[in-house]
């Protein structure tokens, strides 16, 4: 369960999002909003990105999230997929996931890890040598997004915040994405928070709540998912 | 036995004083003529004052006092270095009795097997031909000239043509004293040979100057994996100058790694003729007060050759690094493809890195690129790793490792 209480996010002293009081329990939650309102900022502020100043309170499974360092938040079960995943020269995809698995104390043998990695990569249509490719360097935009999904698959967090996971994916990959996200949620006691404006994704995931961020930096959370479709049809001003 | 303390700047006053029976004093030395030339050059300008060293913190080297013992008998350490095929020190070269290049027969006095493939060069062998290498050892105005003047004798090894060979070389500290150690070494790789050498530079409690001349004959391939001693760094000052001559069609691959030491220079000067390939890689992880100075000078003297230089350093604490990368392309060297990269990652506010590329291109018909950077750990990289549960220590180590080995 992720609960924010009067959560405010600032950058260089400028308020981006203001007094957000939101609740994300097990299930699927959608976040929508016009470009530039701070959807990614919200996600990364929860993850503890040092570029953001925060006020208020955020509780994650009963613990004070804001008192934790970023790596501690990840170890507590929080995951964020990046809209533009960071490339790191000299680090292979598999080396990265292997180290992450170790840090999160997901005790698997290297052989098992590699096998699972390759299976996940194969499901997403990535080549057989994907484990050897350099992390987010030798990759198209869509492939980088797929890489994030492999990490979600393997790290299996308790709460995942996915920032536009559908962007850059082709139709076949979207199908796999939906399958993987459904499988994730169906494990039970998982929270999935998705920033998306993709109707098909919203329909297929059947979300429990919708959060709308506006240009004034405010947020409204509702269980009325029909609002999402109204926005998709008429726009945010409609 | 009288003792003499001196620094490198003062050394030129003692070359002909009898402190050592060096190449200059020894008229029978195969390097006597070129030693005289180097000495004359050094008297005109002390290499300590050479502007070539302007960014290399030479004071550390020059402030060190070498302790020479006049009329010393030069006791040689009897420690046997088991892990190496060939051991080299000033005027000394020997093959490890347990090496594959020596067999039981050697212990009983018979000739070693494979003598045709690898021939040691030393003055105690008749017709060693060492004097024929003098034209490659002309004065440079650099500290390596001291090795030509002041070493006891040149040594080296020659690989026969059409030979495939692997060997490990130890540049040792057999004398185990605190005097300046000078090594002058010749490595002659025969035509069409394929030679892999691993070199280990042992630390010395004091200053060591090593000058190595590598001749890579036509269509030969020389691969060197060079590493510097990780022990006794605090007392070790080392100047290693490697001069490579790549004959047409040859290939040179060098991988060098170190953690620096009290003072280290790893200098490479490479003359590249036509249709050659040159690949130089350096990885240096420097911490505490360690210093490391790299020079890679590639001179393309013939057409259609390629060269790639990639030297990287990670610096922590108060470490110091300098890099001078030079590419020179002669007018006749058309079709050359040259690339020079030096990257430095500063992980401490007190670490210092200098990087300087120099290009001297005298023809238009080439491809030449260079990139020299100094950066800090990218906070976005660290954040990405943190977001996957990897803490700052493990994440920092990963980033540094990737930086060095990418």
């Amino acid at each position: 369960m992720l609960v924010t209480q009067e959560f405010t996010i600032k950058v260089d002293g400028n308020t981006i999002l203001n007094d957000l009081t939101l609740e994300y329990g097990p299930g699927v939650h959608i976040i929508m909003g016009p470009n530039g309102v701070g959807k990614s900022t919200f996600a990364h502020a929860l993850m503890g990105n040092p570029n953001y100043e925060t006020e208020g309170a955020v509780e994650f499974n009963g613990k004070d999230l804001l008192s934790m360092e970023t790596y501690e938040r990840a170890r507590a079960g929080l995951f964020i997929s990046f809209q533009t995943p960071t490339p790191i020269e000299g680090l292979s995809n598999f080396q990265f996931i292997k180290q992450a698995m170790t840090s999160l104390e997901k005790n698997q043998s290297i052989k098992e890890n590699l096998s699972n990695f390759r299976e996940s990569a194969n499901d997403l249509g990535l080549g057989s040598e994907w484990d050897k490719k350099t992390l987010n360097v030798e990759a198209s935009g869509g492939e980088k997004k797929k890489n994030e999904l492999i990490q979600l698959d393997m790290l299996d967090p308790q709460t995942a915040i996915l920032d536009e996971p559908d962007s850059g994916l082709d139709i076949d990959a979207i199908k796999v994405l939906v399958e993987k996200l459904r499988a994730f949620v169906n494990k039970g006691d998982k929270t999935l928070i998705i920033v998306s404006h993709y109707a098909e994704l919203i329909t297929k995931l059947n979300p429990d709540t919708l959060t709308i961020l506006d240009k004034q930096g405010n947020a409204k959370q509702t269980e009325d998912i029909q609002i999402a479709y109204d926005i998709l049809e008429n726009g945010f001003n409609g | 036995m009288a003792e003499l303390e001196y620094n490198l700047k003062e050394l030129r006053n003692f070359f002909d004083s009898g402190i050592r029976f060096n190449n200059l004093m020894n008229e029978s030395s195969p390097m006597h003529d070129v030693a005289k030339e180097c000495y004359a050059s050094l008297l005109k300008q002390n290499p300590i004052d050479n502007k070539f060293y302007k960014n290399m913190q030479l004071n550390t080297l020059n402030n060190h006092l070498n302790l020479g013992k006049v009329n010393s008998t030069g006791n040689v350490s009897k420690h046997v270095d088991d892990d190496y095929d060939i051991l080299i020190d000033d005027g000394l070269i020997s093959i490890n009795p347990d090496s594959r290049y020596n067999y039981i027969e050697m212990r009983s006095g018979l000739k070693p097997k494979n003598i045709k493939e690898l021939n040691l060069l030393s003055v105690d062998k008749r017709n060693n031909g060492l004097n024929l290498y003098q034209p490659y050892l002309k004065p440079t105005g650099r500290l390596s000239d001291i090795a030509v003047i002041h070493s006891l004798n040149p040594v080296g090894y020659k690989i026969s043509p059409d030979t495939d060979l692997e060997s490990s070389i130890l540049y040792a500290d057999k004398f185990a004293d605190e005097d300046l150690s000078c090594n002058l070494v010749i490595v002659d790789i025969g035509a069409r040979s394929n030679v892999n050498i691993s070199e280990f530079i042992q630390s010395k409690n004091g200053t060591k100057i090593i000058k190595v001349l590598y001749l890579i004959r036509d269509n030969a391939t020389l691969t060197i994996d060079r590493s510097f001693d990780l022990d006794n760094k605090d007392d070790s000052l080392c100047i290693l100058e490697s001069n490579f001559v790549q004959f047409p069609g040859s290939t040179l691959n060098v991988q060098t790694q170190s953690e620096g030491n009290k003072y280290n220079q790893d200098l490479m000067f490479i003359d590249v003729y036509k249709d050659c390939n040159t690949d130089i890689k350096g990885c240096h992880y420097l911490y505490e007060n360690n210093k490391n100075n790299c020079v890679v000078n590639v001179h393309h003297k013939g057409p259609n050759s390629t060269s790639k230089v990639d030297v990287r350093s990670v610096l922590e604490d108060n470490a110091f690094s300098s890099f001078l990368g030079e590419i020179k392309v002669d007018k006749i060297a058309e079709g050359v493809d040259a690339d020079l990269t030096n990257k430095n990652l500063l992980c401490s506010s007190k670490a210092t890195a200098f990087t300087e590329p120099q290009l001297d291109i005298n023809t238009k018909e080439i491809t030449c690129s260079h990139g020299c950077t100094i950066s800090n750990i990218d906070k976005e990289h660290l954040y990405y790793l943190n977001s996957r549960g990897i803490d700052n220590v493990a994440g920092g180590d990963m980033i540094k490792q990737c930086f060095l080995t990418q």
Side-chain angles (χ1 to χ4, degrees):
Chain A
M1 173 76 85
L2 181 75
V3 180
T4 74
Q5 190 72 34
E6 294 175 4
F7 184 43
T8 297
I9 304 165
K10 296 180 181 180
V11 176
D12 296 331
N14 297 316
T15 301
I16 306 297
L17 293 168
N18 199 24
D19 280 344
L20 306 183
T21 296
L22 304 163
E23 197 171 294
Y24 300 103
V28 180
H29 309 272
I30 300 293
I31 296 178
M32 298 174 76
N35 287 344
V37 296
K39 301 185 293 296
S40 296
T41 299
F42 176 60
H44 283 281
L46 287 173
M47 199 69 225
N49 188 309
N51 291 329
Y52 305 129
E53 304 133 36
T54 57
E55 294 168 8
V58 179
E59 212 173 77
F60 182 55
N61 295 332
K63 293 180 184 168
D64 177 7
L65 189 72
L66 299 184
S67 68
M68 297 182 201
E69 301 287 345
T70 298
Y71 72 91
E72 290 171 325
R73 300 182 196 197
R75 290 179 187 181
L78 189 61
F79 176 92
I80 178 174
S81 79
F82 284 54
Q83 196 177 41
T84 313
T86 307
I88 301 182
E89 292 269 6
L91 183 63
S92 75
N93 288 322
F94 182 65
Q95 281 173 324
F96 175 61
I97 201 76
K98 184 161 68 80
Q99 183 64 47
M101 295 284 280
T102 302
S103 298
L104 295 174
E105 295 182 353
K106 308 269 182 190
N107 295 319
Q108 281 184 355
S109 68
I110 294 178
K111 192 175 172 183
E112 213 175 337
N113 264 339
L114 185 59
S115 172
N116 291 339
F117 183 96
R118 285 180 173 164
E119 186 182 330
S120 197
N122 188 55
D123 288 345
L124 288 159
L126 297 165
S128 58
E129 301 280 298
W130 189 251
D131 53 295
K132 298 185 181 65
K133 297 259 185 183
T134 311
L135 181 66
N136 297 324
V137 172
E138 302 160 289
S140 65
E143 287 173 336
K144 290 179 189 177
K145 284 298 177 72
K146 290 178 183 179
N147 228 4
E148 299 288 287
L149 290 177
I150 296 174
Q151 291 168 35
L152 172 69
D153 215 6
M154 293 195 64
L155 299 179
D156 193 32
Q158 194 275 320
T159 295
I161 309 173
L162 307 188
D163 195 350
E164 302 202 27
D166 44 275
S167 73
L169 296 186
D170 57 37
I171 292 173
D172 291 333
I174 297 264
K175 273 187 187 170
V176 177
L177 167 68
V178 170
E179 282 166 17
K180 286 199 177 286
L181 294 183
R182 274 193 184 146
F184 175 77
V185 176
N186 287 343
K187 286 178 190 175
D189 203 32
K190 299 286 193 186
T191 302
L192 185 61
I193 305 169
I194 305 179
V195 176
S196 180
H197 299 100
Y198 189 44
E200 190 174 333
L201 189 69
I202 295 170
T203 304
K204 287 191 172 168
L205 290 176
N206 193 21
D208 298 291
T209 75
L210 166 69
T211 302
I212 303 168
L213 303 180
D214 65 30
K215 289 182 181 177
Q216 285 70 47
N218 302 315
K220 181 182 170 186
Q221 189 174 26
T222 176
E223 291 177 359
D224 186 358
I225 306 304
Q226 182 58 44
I227 297 175
Y229 296 107
D230 294 341
I231 290 172
L232 291 173
E233 186 165 341
N234 304 313
F236 287 99
N237 297 321
Chain B
M1 187 188 305
E3 285 188 350
L4 180 67
E5 269 191 349
Y6 60 93
N7 63 23
L8 277 186
K9 191 159 187 172
E10 295 165 335
L11 177 60
R12 65 178 180 176
N13 303 322
F14 305 120
F15 282 137
D16 58 355
S17 66
I19 183 175
R20 185 182 297 179
F21 194 49
N22 51 35
N23 291 322
L24 180 68
M25 297 290 290
N26 180 6
E27 289 179 2
S28 301
S29 166
M31 294 293 162
H32 181 64
D33 291 339
V34 75
K36 284 194 300 184
E37 290 181 46
C38 288
Y39 180 56
S41 165
L42 193 142
L43 288 178
K44 285 183 192 164
Q45 185 189 21
N46 199 319
I48 286 285
D49 298 323
N50 189 335
K51 288 181 183 170
F52 172 78
Y53 299 110
K54 66 179 191 289
N55 291 327
M56 295 192 203
Q57 291 201 346
L58 216 52
N59 279 343
T60 306
L61 186 68
N62 196 41
N63 288 343
H64 176 79
L65 291 177
N66 303 286
L67 185 62
K69 292 184 175 150
V70 182
N71 298 326
S72 167
T73 53
N75 295 322
V76 176
S77 165
K78 290 193 172 30
H79 172 72
V80 175
D81 300 281
D82 290 337
D83 296 335
Y84 299 93
D85 294 321
I86 296 174
L87 187 150
I88 293 176
D89 201 347
D90 189 359
L92 291 179
I93 186 165
S94 64
I95 293 182
N96 184 340
D98 294 324
S99 161
R100 73 197 103 173
Y101 298 111
N102 237 344
Y103 292 85
I104 301 288
E105 293 90 338
M106 189 66 173
R107 290 182 181 147
S108 65
L110 298 177
K111 286 184 183 177
K113 195 176 174 182
N114 296 331
I115 188 94
K116 288 186 201 170
E117 292 179 348
L118 182 134
N119 297 288
L120 296 189
L121 302 173
S122 64
V123 295
D124 57 356
K125 294 191 172 187
R126 291 179 65 184
N127 301 321
N128 54 62
L130 281 165
N131 62 309
L132 299 174
Y133 295 101
Q134 290 190 98
Y136 294 103
L137 298 167
K138 295 292 184 181
T140 63
R142 297 188 294 269
L143 291 166
S144 61
D145 290 349
I146 294 175
V148 179
I149 298 167
H150 204 45
S151 67
L152 293 173
N153 273 307
V155 295
Y157 52 96
K158 189 169 179 177
I159 311 290
S160 302
D162 302 299
T163 299
D164 284 351
L165 183 141
E166 284 184 22
S167 191
S168 56
I169 314 292
L170 169 64
Y171 287 90
D173 178 28
K174 295 306 288 182
F175 292 102
D177 59 10
E178 292 175 58
D179 197 5
L180 171 67
S181 169
C182 293
N183 290 208
L184 179 58
V185 183
I186 312 295
V187 179
D188 193 336
I189 309 295
R192 299 173 302 280
S193 288
N194 187 4
V195 176
N196 287 286
I197 294 172
S198 67
E199 294 178 340
F200 183 77
I201 319 300
Q202 189 172 19
S203 287
K204 176 190 170 69
N205 182 5
T207 310
K208 183 187 280 199
I209 301 178
I210 306 172
K211 184 173 179 108
V212 190
L213 170 67
Y214 300 86
L215 299 180
I216 309 162
R217 304 283 181 181
D218 299 61
N219 299 305
T221 296
L222 173 62
T223 300
I224 297 175
D225 185 354
R226 174 181 290 171
S227 57
F228 289 80
D229 198 347
L230 300 184
D231 295 327
N232 306 316
K233 288 197 287 292
D234 292 345
D235 298 317
S236 174
L237 306 98
C238 179
I239 298 160
L240 171 56
E241 180 169 312
S242 307
N243 297 105
F244 298 93
V245 179
Q246 283 192 253
F247 287 74
S250 66
T251 297
L252 171 65
N253 303 307
V254 178
Q255 166 89 41
T256 177
Q257 49 262 330
S258 81
E259 292 183 358
N261 50 26
K262 184 176 178 180
Y263 188 86
N264 202 52
Q265 285 183 11
D266 187 4
L267 314 183
M268 297 185 206
F269 295 85
I270 309 165
D271 286 345
V272 185
Y273 288 92
K274 68 174 183 177
D275 301 325
C276 292
N277 294 299
T278 309
D279 191 341
I280 310 294
K281 287 191 175 64
C283 292
H284 305 283
Y285 176 60
L286 310 173
Y287 52 91
E288 293 173 352
N289 296 307
N290 292 344
K291 292 181 170 51
N292 193 55
N293 299 280
C294 285
V295 171
V296 182
N297 175 307
V298 181
H299 185 173
H300 284 278
K301 294 184 167 183
N304 301 321
S305 288
T306 64
S307 65
K308 187 174 162 62
V309 176
D310 189 341
V311 175
R312 291 160 193 265
S313 297
V314 170
L315 293 90
E316 312 234 43
D317 307 319
N318 299 308
F320 173 87
S321 169
S322 77
F323 175 82
L324 173 61
E326 300 171 303
I327 300 178
K328 180 171 180 179
V329 181
D330 288 353
K331 194 170 180 184
I332 65 158
E334 293 182 356
V336 156
D337 186 345
D339 182 77
L340 172 73
T341 299
N342 173 234
K343 294 189 177 181
N344 301 278
L345 184 67
L346 298 186
C347 302
S348 155
S349 58
K350 293 181 183 171
T352 304
F354 280 97
T355 181
E356 183 180 354
Q358 290 182 3
L359 303 180
D360 182 358
I361 313 295
N362 296 288
T363 175
K364 291 181 185 175
E365 306 299 325
I366 66 152
T367 307
C368 186
S369 56
H370 72 91
C372 294
T373 62
I374 299 176
S375 58
N376 304 113
I377 289 184
D378 190 328
K379 288 184 179 156
E380 291 299 321
H381 290 179
L382 202 51
Y383 171 61
Y384 192 54
L385 298 176
N386 287 160
S387 74
R388 302 304 185 242
I390 301 168
D391 62 38
N392 285 347
V393 172
D397 286 346
M398 280 175 80
I399 290 170
K400 289 169 203 168
Q401 183 64 29
C402 291
F403 182 86
L404 285 176
T405 58
Q406 65 181 269

